[in-house]
Structure formats: C-alpha cells, structure tokens
C-alpha cells in the first residue's frame, strides 16, 4: 500500500457512495488523481500507463482527475493547463492533488518512480499507490539494488560502476551489458562486444545518467515475477513470466515497444525454481521497502542459477503489460487489479496494516 503520511481521512469504497460520521451515505465518489508523463525518457510509456489506469477506474465509477507532467516539468490536466493555459506552479498542482482522496502516480523512471513523486505526496499528506521514497529510490538505482540483493544472498551479474565521463574500465571478457544506473524501459541498454562498442555504449548510456553499469553478460532465460500487496496486508506473488529472447540478445526498448515479444505464462520452471523466484522476489520487496506492486526481473542461468537483473516499483500497467498479464492468469481482471491498488492506498490513510499470509 502507499506510504503517504497517515493523517485521518475518510476511506471510501471504490465505486460506491462514501459514508458520513453517522453511517449514512454522503453520495460522494472516490476521487483519484492519476498522474502520467514525466520528464524522463519514459514519458510516452507513462502516458499510456496512466491512460489505461484512468480508464479502468472510470469503469468502476471512480471520479478520475487525469494529470500530466510535461517533458518541461509543467503540470496539466486532461482538459488543458491547470491555470492560465501556459503552465502553473507546483503549488497549484498540489492544490488539485489535495482535493483528491488518493493519487496514482503512474510516472515511470527518474523524477517519478525514483521516489520523487512519493516525496511530494508524502509532504502534501495525500495517500498514494505504490512504493514510498525509500523503495522507489533504492529500486531505481540499479547499483544500490545489486548491493541489497547481494546482502540477501541473491546473485547478481558481476559489474563495475563507472562515471560516463571517465576512462573506460578494464573488461575481463566481452560481451558486456552497458546500462544507465537510473533509467527504465531498457533505454540506454546495449551489448558491447569490443572496446569500440564499449566506448559508444557508455557514451550513449551517459546521456541518461552520468553513472553507468558495465556488467558481465549473463546467458540465461529471462523470467519476471510480480508481488502485489493488498489492502489487508496480504501479498500475492504472480506466476512467473518468461520473455523469449534470442540467444545472445537482450530485451531492449525496440523489442519491448516496436517488436512482437513472446511471453510464456506461466514460465516453464521447476517447482524448486518457482520457489526460489518467489522467495527472492518477496525478500527484495521487503528489503527495498516496496509497497503496492513491484516487478522483479531475473535470469535463470544454467551456470549461475537465479540472477537478479533489476526491480521496477512502477512497472508498465496497461491492460496488456506483463504485470496485469501475470495476475490475469490468476483470475484477477485488470479493473480489479487497479481498483485493489487504489483501495490499499486509501486504507493506508488510517495507518499501516500488518503484513499477513503470503499466496502464490
């Protein structure tokens, strides 16, 4: 559930009239601000996620306020700017958010998923869907995530953290994977097979983040697992999903959004592998401080076993995205998934809910 400050707010049931102090209906609907866009390279993907989430909530008779953060940082709503048609101050945007019961920050990448929006909503006292400042910041930082995983005994690819403006590191063996430390949707990710490609790849990744990871290439199957936290504190682990990638290839931005990726759901894994995936995802969910929903991307390597790739605290959430597909396989409709996340965030306004039994 969201980690906004726990001020007393009336918790309303999604799609139904709220109850007043005397138990009678007030006739008010839950009002949810869905925030999309952002100032990162994932702006367009975030718009798609926000549009799909908003539509799902409208289908549940929720009063949806659709807010967009432009690439220039200015806020607007679905019917135009929030002020004079040119752009408004952050204060004005917070005023709109303060009139909502819950916020659903569907902004991927830096200045959104990295805890930035969570911090804003915490300070404004607005309950919100997803991870808080700590979870967002740690999971967005791939180097920090690797350190947490290693402390938990979860294997990660051997790698080096470099400054994009510094001399190249010495590579033990090619190929290597180059990626910006804080970016998503595989933007800036490349495979380098020699020194020339390494220099080019580091320069390209450096356009998105001045810190760059150079990692050993892990040969293995790409398997994703999602963890969903409900309003009563229970956590459900979705079935593993395999992304079919050609040998020696990577699931890059072009393949994700311009290609026709093949998913195997559920992934054909052994009971022992499924248990390892589940346990690793839950351990990371807790250690990083995740809330709401998060996706954990792994490799299953014939040499190294289970290897963490990365963590996403605001994964793609259109109806056809990986996480909704996973929970649909368990019988959870997309609208139910979105509604449940909003209910969990709304419940957080009354105080933290102890975590309960786990389901897979």
């Amino acid at each position: 559930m969201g980690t906004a400050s726990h001020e007393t707010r009336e918790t309303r049931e999604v799609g139904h009239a709220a109850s007043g102090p005397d138990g009678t209906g007030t006739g008010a609907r839950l009002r949810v601000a869905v925030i999309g866009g952002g100032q990162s390279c994932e702006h367009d993907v975030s718009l798609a996620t926000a549009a799909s989430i908003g539509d799902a909530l409208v289908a549940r008779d929720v009063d949806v306020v659709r807010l967009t953060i432009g690439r220039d940082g200015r806020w607007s709503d679905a019917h135009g700017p929030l002020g004079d048609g040119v752009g408004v101050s952050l204060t004005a945007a917070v005023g709109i958010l303060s009139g909502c019961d819950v916020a659903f920050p569907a902004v991927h990448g830096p200045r959104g998923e990295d805890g930035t929006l969570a911090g804003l909503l915490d300070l404004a006292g607005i309950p919100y869907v997803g991870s808080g400042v700590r979870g967002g910041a740690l999971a967005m930082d791939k180097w920090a995530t690797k350190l947490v995983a290693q402390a938990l005994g979860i294997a990660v690819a051997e790698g080096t953290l470099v400054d994009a403006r510094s001399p190249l590191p010495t590579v033990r063996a090619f190929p290597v994977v180059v990626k910006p430390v804080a970016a998503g949707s595989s933007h800036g990710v490349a495979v380098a097979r020699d020194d020339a490609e390494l220099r080019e790849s580091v320069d390209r990744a450096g356009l998105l983040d001045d810190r760059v990871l150079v990692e050993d290439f892990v040969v293995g199957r790409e398997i994703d697992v999602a963890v969903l936290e409900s309003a009563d504190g229970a956590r459900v682990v979705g079935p593993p999903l395999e992304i079919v990638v050609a040998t020696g290839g990577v699931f890059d931005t072009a393949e994700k959004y311009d290609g026709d990726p093949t998913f195997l759901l559920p992934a054909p894994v052994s009971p022992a592998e499924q248990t390892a995936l589940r346990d690793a995802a839950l351990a990371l969910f807790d250690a990083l401080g995740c809330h709401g929903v998060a996706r954990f991307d792994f490799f299953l390597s014939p040499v190294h076993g289970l290897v963490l790739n990365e963590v996403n605290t605001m994964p793609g959430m259109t109806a056809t995205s990986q996480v909704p597909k996973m929970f649909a396989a368990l019988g959870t409709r997309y609208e139910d998934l979105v509604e449940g996340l909003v209910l969990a965030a709304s419940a957080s306004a009354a105080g933290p809910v102890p975590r309960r039994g786990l389901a897979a």
Side-chain angles (χ1 to χ4, degrees), residues 20-311:
D22 60 357
T24 61
T26 66
R29 292 186 300 162
L30 189 76
R31 188 173 178 84
V32 178
V34 179
I35 311 169
Q39 294 178 266
S40 78
C41 55
E42 296 186 80
H43 178 90
D44 290 338
V45 178
S46 296
L47 289 180
T49 289
S52 189
I53 288 169
D55 291 346
L57 292 174
V58 167
R60 290 301 172 91
D61 197 33
V62 173
D63 185 8
V64 175
V65 178
R66 301 177 190 256
L67 302 175
T68 298
I69 302 174
R71 289 186 175 87
D72 60 359
R74 288 189 269 188
W75 291 61
S76 63
D77 63 21
H79 305 292
L82 297 175
D84 58 7
V86 176
V88 299
S89 68
L90 182 59
T91 302
V94 171
I96 297 295
L97 289 166
S98 296
C100 298
D101 300 290
V102 177
F104 200 131
V107 178
H108 308 302
R111 298 192 179 183
E113 186 178 356
D114 61 355
T116 304
L117 273 179
L120 172 68
L121 294 167
D122 274 336
L123 290 173
I126 302 165
Y128 56 90
V129 172
S131 295
V133 174
R134 175 167 64 96
L138 283 174
M140 193 77 218
D141 188 309
K142 294 180 176 65
W143 180 252
T145 300
K146 286 166 73 78
L147 297 177
V148 172
Q150 288 176 310
L152 294 171
I154 299 170
V156 298
E158 291 291 331
T160 303
L161 179 66
V162 302
D163 187 316
R165 299 157 297 187
S166 299
L168 294 176
T170 300
V171 173
R172 295 183 303 173
F174 287 102
V176 293
V177 177
V178 179
K179 59 181 72 171
V181 167
S185 294
S186 297
H187 286 284
V189 177
V191 177
R193 295 175 173 82
D194 55 39
D195 286 328
E197 289 187 352
L198 178 60
R199 177 74 272 170
E200 180 183 355
S201 298
V202 169
D203 289 345
R204 189 183 306 117
L207 297 175
L208 300 176
D209 193 338
D210 57 6
R211 295 186 307 151
V212 175
L213 275 174
V214 178
E215 296 181 335
D216 290 354
F217 190 97
V218 177
V219 177
R221 300 161 58 198
E222 295 197 25
I223 311 287
D224 295 350
V225 178
V227 177
L228 175 67
E229 185 180 44
S230 60
D232 64 359
R235 289 169 294 158
V236 176
V237 180
L241 178 149
E242 180 172 357
I243 304 167
V244 179
V245 179
T247 302
V250 294
F251 189 45
D252 59 15
T253 303
E255 181 68 16
K256 285 181 179 179
Y257 302 113
D258 299 327
D260 186 20
T262 299
F263 299 140
L264 300 180
L265 181 65
V269 298
S270 69
E273 289 169 336
Q274 182 159 355
T275 297
L277 287 161
R278 173 183 179 275
D279 290 350
L282 286 169
L284 286 163
F285 192 93
D286 291 344
L288 292 170
C290 299
H291 289 282
V293 67
R295 195 188 78 223
F296 302 85
D297 301 347
F298 296 96
F299 297 113
L300 275 179
S301 165
V303 176
H304 306 289
L306 185 67
V307 179
L308 176 68
N309 183 19
E310 64 178 36
V311 178

